[in-house]
Amino acid sequence: MKVIRTEGLTKRFGRITAVDGVGLDVREGDVFGFLGANGSGKTTTVRMLLGLVLPTSGTVEVLGEPMPARRASVLPQVGALVEGPAAPPHLSGRRHLALLDAAGPGSRRTGRAGRVDDALEQVGLGGVDRRPVRTYSLGMRQRLGLAAALMRRPRLLVLDEPTNGLDPAGIQEIRRLLLDLNAAGTTVLVSSHLLSEIERTCTRVGVLHAGRLVLQDDLASVCGPTGLLVVDTPDPHLAARLLVGRVEAVDGERLLVRDQDAASVNAALVGAGVPVRSLHAQRRSLEDVVLDATSRQAIA
Amino acid sequence: MTRGRGTGRRWLLVALVALALTAGPPLARAVPTRPVDIDAGTLLGRVQAAEDRPWSGLVETTGTLALPDADQFSDVAALFGGSTRMRVWWRDADHWRVDQLSTSGEQDLVRTGDRTVRWDYERLQARFGEEPSVRLPRAADLLPTELAARMLRGAGPDDVTRLPARRVADRTAPGLRLVPASPRTTIDHVDVWADADTGLPLRVEVYDASGRFLTSEAVDVDLATPSEARVSFTTPPGAGVERDDVLDIADAANQYAPLIAPQRAGGLEADGSNGAVGVYGTGPEQVVAIPLRDREADALRDQLGVTPGARQGATGTRVTVGPLGVLLTGAEGEGGLLVAGTVTPPTLHAVARDVIAGYQYVGVPQ
Amino acid sequence: MIRVELVSLLRSRRTWATIALVDALPVIVAVLLAVTDLGPRPGTGPAFLSAVLTDGTLYPLAALAIVLPLFLPIAVAVFAGEAIAGEAQQGTLRYLLLRPVGRTHLLIAKLVGVMAFVVLTVLVVAATAYLLGIGLLGHQSVTASAPGTASVSGTSLSTPELVARTFAALGYAMLCMLGVASVALFASTLVRSPLAAAMGALALLVGSTLLLTLDAADPLKPYLLTRYWLAFVDLFRDPILWHDLVRGVLLQLGYVVVFLGAAWANFATKDISD
Ligand SMILES: Nc1ncnc2c1ncn2[C@@H]1O[C@H](COP(=O)(O)OP(=O)(O)OP(=O)(O)O)[C@@H](O)[C@H]1O
Ligand SMILES: [Mg+2]
């Protein structure tokens, strides 16, 4: 089942085309990484998914229903963090969550305090006292925003830069939380600049460049092995002579060898007396993928 | 669904509703009146016959005359130079109540027989008095019924023409135009719209040569006879009670000046007065002559002197405000005769001359 | 959402500070009147202010006449101007809409919230004014041989009648704020800054007050926001003069329909990108 599907999604602000013909495809159980440079249109796309901004053209379906037409039935199943958290500065975090919960439809009073406590616990704000949000640190606000998104145990989480302002331990904590939620069946769409974070958490990625979706694929296939071996040796000349015809490039003491079988290459080198410091199959980094996709787009 | 189309439709809807709400009431008021087939003479007869017919309602008047705001005359100046709202309960000429409304109170006049009560809410005071034979104009004189009666008094079928009917106080009101034949008056014409069924005047407009200067309209009308209780007055708790021996400066002069004004002046007949104050003429040509003492005359003379267009002549100071001519004879410290009315300057001077010449002196009352 | 709006209103310190501020003026006036015993000259000051020197039970009405033309509408414009623009500026608007709170529902909840503030303010002002009136100012009606109060028309009003009419006047004054609230709410959906929205509504208020003094504006007057505000005095004439009161209520409802409609037309599909 498709959790998010857009077709030809386009948004123009006056003469600026912020989002241009985007066809997103997020499936149930995905942790979808949404990437792109500053101003590439990530937030605008997320706003359109949630019915905050209306598309100039194109269609959006979330959880199988058209948006924004069915926002009343879709949004209760979605938790979201859009361009940073927000809360009335004079309220305590706990009070803010309770009021936000009460503001929406179908919210029962019974168990509300428990739900608030659970959500705060999940994001590591369990010990938070009655201080107003005004006094919160950047990271605490971010956590409060996440708690608000988690409050109603959503089927879909849409998080725009969720780790903004978090310390390394916090980032790891949130990563673990997302993976746990995902394991429990929540589909997650997360936009970020932190490629390493996306690489570690996501199953699929989409890359936006100047409003266009230039790449959308499983992380495993875009970051798969390249079919080359990386050989690190103090004697690159000898090694190159031995593997003649298969060496793609020599970079100091590193050789790129076109071969799938690391074991036989190792045996051949060691057998010929070439010292091998390390030898492993080359994989593409997400950074390479993203840069590659965006530069190809720029040329085309 | 794109933003443009849906938004446009909603704005259109809102604009239409706004238009309906703003244009609706004026359109409803412009609903054509039912056709009235009545000639001017018959209508005049009906209006004159409806004099003192019982009714009640709400009246709004607007005057545009900038009269000199002299002490004793400031109420008159306000009356002809601004807007007035009145509630009216009218049983007959001697039993009525007119409440002059303001945003912070009321000044009411209740007439029972020849006695009157004036109630002033902001002073929390009731003043009892007698209806004088001569007095200055007051708010109740501007009711469309009173104004029409005064203006049409003495008019015949030949003096009036028909005007198209209009809707006044949600009633069909055929119109009547009176163009005074007399060369002495400064009033150019008077338009009266009266209820088609009863002849009760509902709206009166008075014009001088330069245009309309007085409008009086009943905005709400009830033709039932108001109850006796409505036109009586009982002093409420906490209010002060006073007795008035004199109502205003005209009443005072009339009662206490040791003079009797002549029965004719400037070619006009006296209008039933027999004291020191003379009122001459009927209908649109009316003029009053009030003898003033030094103090009052001097104050008024100062005020007239600084009024734009004031003329200093051999007889005295003359000012013309719209159709109203005001002449004060004499000089500083001599007292003077105040002559005022809707007549031309020569008539004004002629009245002054005749009144001064025709005064009969009587013994000073104790 | 409406309940949340009301709870937030009641718990907000700002609400009570504003009410205290609005209430301060009638309190000062009452103290000054009590100390100096000097009423306004007839035809000048606010309605009923001269009457309270002899009858303190009328002071709630005088207080109403004091706050109604300026203080109360300014407070209302500020509150309503903040309704949408304030949430947007704070960033909470998008989270409310994602909760999801329907956009039309949100507008209505905000209007209800502002009107609740009006009701609260008017009741507080009237209650303090009543206490001040019988505590500091005259209470002759209690001792007078004929119990009752003089109506504006010089008839006698019994105490129950006076109470009923006073409450009707309070209700009318509350209704009169609907127009300002709707206009400010509309402005609040239009601009980003709450201050600008409040200023927009205040501009209309000041403009309306000014035009009312101008004879040339006669054809416009029946449509001016403040045209019938002081008509609550008509409730104390005898019999009650309904002419302006009815028009006043209809006018305010017209403002609600048009400006709430305009707010809806603008906001229902507005891009929320704050
Ligand atoms: N309300 C708006 N009016 C006009 N232009 C806008 C508006 N919102 C966004 N844009 C433009 O749309 C483009 C995409 O903006 P968007 O916020 O979606 O980028 P982003 O990918 O989220 O960037 P970042 O990584 O910096 O958050 C930008 O060029 C921005 O200037
Ligand atoms: Mg962004």
Side-chain angles (χ1 to χ4, degrees), chain A residues 13 18 37-44 161 193, chain C residues 273:
Chain A
F13 292 110
N38 289 135
S40 57
K42 302 184 296 293
T43 302
T44 305
E161 325 225 358
H193 299 291
Chain C
S273 50

Side-chain angles (χ1 to χ4, degrees), chain C residues 52-237:
Chain C
V52 298
L53 286 176
T54 48
D55 188 352
T57 54
L58 288 174
Y59 195 57
L61 296 168
L64 205 59
I66 292 170
V67 300
L68 192 60
L70 204 60
F71 258 46
L72 191 56
I74 287 179
V76 169
V78 169
F79 264 74
E82 195 142 84
I84 301 294
E87 296 274 6
Q89 204 175 49
Q90 197 177 263
T92 39
L93 177 60
R94 56 176 183 269
Y95 291 110
L96 278 177
L97 296 180
L98 288 178
R99 173 55 190 89
V101 177
R103 295 191 182 196
T104 313
H105 187 85
L106 182 65
L107 286 177
I108 292 172
K110 288 292 182 184
L111 187 62
V112 170
V114 173
M115 287 319 288
F117 164 75
V118 171
V119 171
L120 207 60
T121 311
V122 169
L123 288 181
V124 168
V125 167
T128 39
Y130 179 74
L131 294 178
L132 287 170
I134 54 173
L136 291 179
L137 302 166
H139 33 115
Q140 191 180 21
S141 67
V142 188
T143 53
S145 53
T149 306
S151 75
V152 174
S153 305
T155 56
S156 167
L157 291 179
S158 67
T159 305
E161 237 175 336
L162 179 70
V163 170
R165 291 187 189 201
T166 302
F167 274 99
L170 298 183
Y172 181 77
M174 294 169 190
L175 261 176
C176 281
M177 292 298 111
L178 266 174
V180 192
S182 313
V183 172
L185 189 60
F186 167 59
S188 187
T189 66
L190 212 56
V191 296
R192 267 160 207 281
S193 141
L195 191 67
M199 291 308 281
L202 287 179
L204 193 75
L205 186 78
V206 173
S208 161
T209 313
L210 197 97
L211 286 178
L212 275 181
T213 63
L214 205 67
D215 284 336
D218 268 347
L220 279 183
K221 283 181 186 172
Y223 302 104
L224 292 178
L225 187 59
T226 56
R227 168 65 183 83
Y228 300 107
W229 277 9
L230 294 178
F232 73 87
V233 177
D234 293 352
L235 283 165
F236 297 87
R237 307 191 195 276

Side-chain angles (χ1 to χ4, degrees), chain A residues 13 51 75 88 128 145-146 148 160 183 195 213 218:
Chain A
F13 292 110
L75 289 180
V128 66
L146 276 171
D160 191 19
L195 296 180
L213 191 63
D218 286 341

Side-chain angles (χ1 to χ4, degrees), chain B residues 23-113:
Chain B
L27 283 181
R29 251 175 277 132
V31 168
T33 52
R34 73 189 143 86
V36 196
D37 186 20
I38 184 170
D39 69 71
T42 318
L43 183 57
L44 176 67
R46 202 175 283 179
V47 170
Q48 284 170 333
E51 202 178 318
D52 280 331
R53 188 196 186 288
W55 67 291
S56 54
L58 183 65
V59 168
E60 291 177 358
T61 72
T62 314
T64 57
L65 298 184
L67 297 184
D69 191 8
D71 230 13
Q72 306 267 9
F73 302 92
S74 58
D75 287 351
V76 179
L79 212 52
F80 288 95
S83 301
T84 309
R85 286 184 107 200
M86 289 173 273
R87 291 176 99 181
V88 186
W89 293 273
W90 198 276
R91 279 173 73 84
D92 58 57
D94 291 333
H95 297 87
W96 48 258
R97 172 181 180 131
V98 173
D99 294 358
Q100 191 182 342
L101 311 178
S102 66
T103 49
S104 52
E106 261 179 39
Q107 293 190 38
D108 305 346
L109 188 63
V110 183
R111 176 151 180 200
T112 317

Side-chain angles (χ1 to χ4, degrees), chain B residues 292-310:
Chain B
L292 296 181
R293 290 179 298 180
D294 299 355
R295 198 153 38 90
E296 290 142 2
D298 290 347
L300 181 60
R301 194 174 288 116
D302 291 345
Q303 190 69 45
L304 290 179
V306 298
T307 305

Side-chain angles (χ1 to χ4, degrees), chain A residues 11 13 47 50-54 71-72 75-76 80-89 95 99-105 107 109 152, chain C residues 1-5 7-8 11-13 87 90-103 105 268-274:
Chain A
K11 180 67 191 182
F13 292 110
R47 284 179 190 276
L50 298 171
L52 291 174
V53 163
L54 297 188
R71 46 196 290 282
L75 289 180
L81 188 65
V82 184
E83 207 156 59
R95 176 121 200 96
L99 277 182
L100 189 62
D101 192 58
S107 155
R109 214 198 190 108
R152 281 168 308 282
Chain C
M1 182 64 206
I2 291 179
R3 218 171 47 78
V4 169
E5 199 56 39
V7 170
S8 310
R11 285 171 147 255
S12 159
R13 216 175 302 152
E87 296 274 6
Q90 197 177 263
T92 39
L93 177 60
R94 56 176 183 269
Y95 291 110
L96 278 177
L97 296 180
L98 288 178
R99 173 55 190 89
V101 177
R103 295 191 182 196
H105 187 85
T269 51
K270 191 187 179 189
D271 283 343
I272 307 302
S273 50
D274 309 271

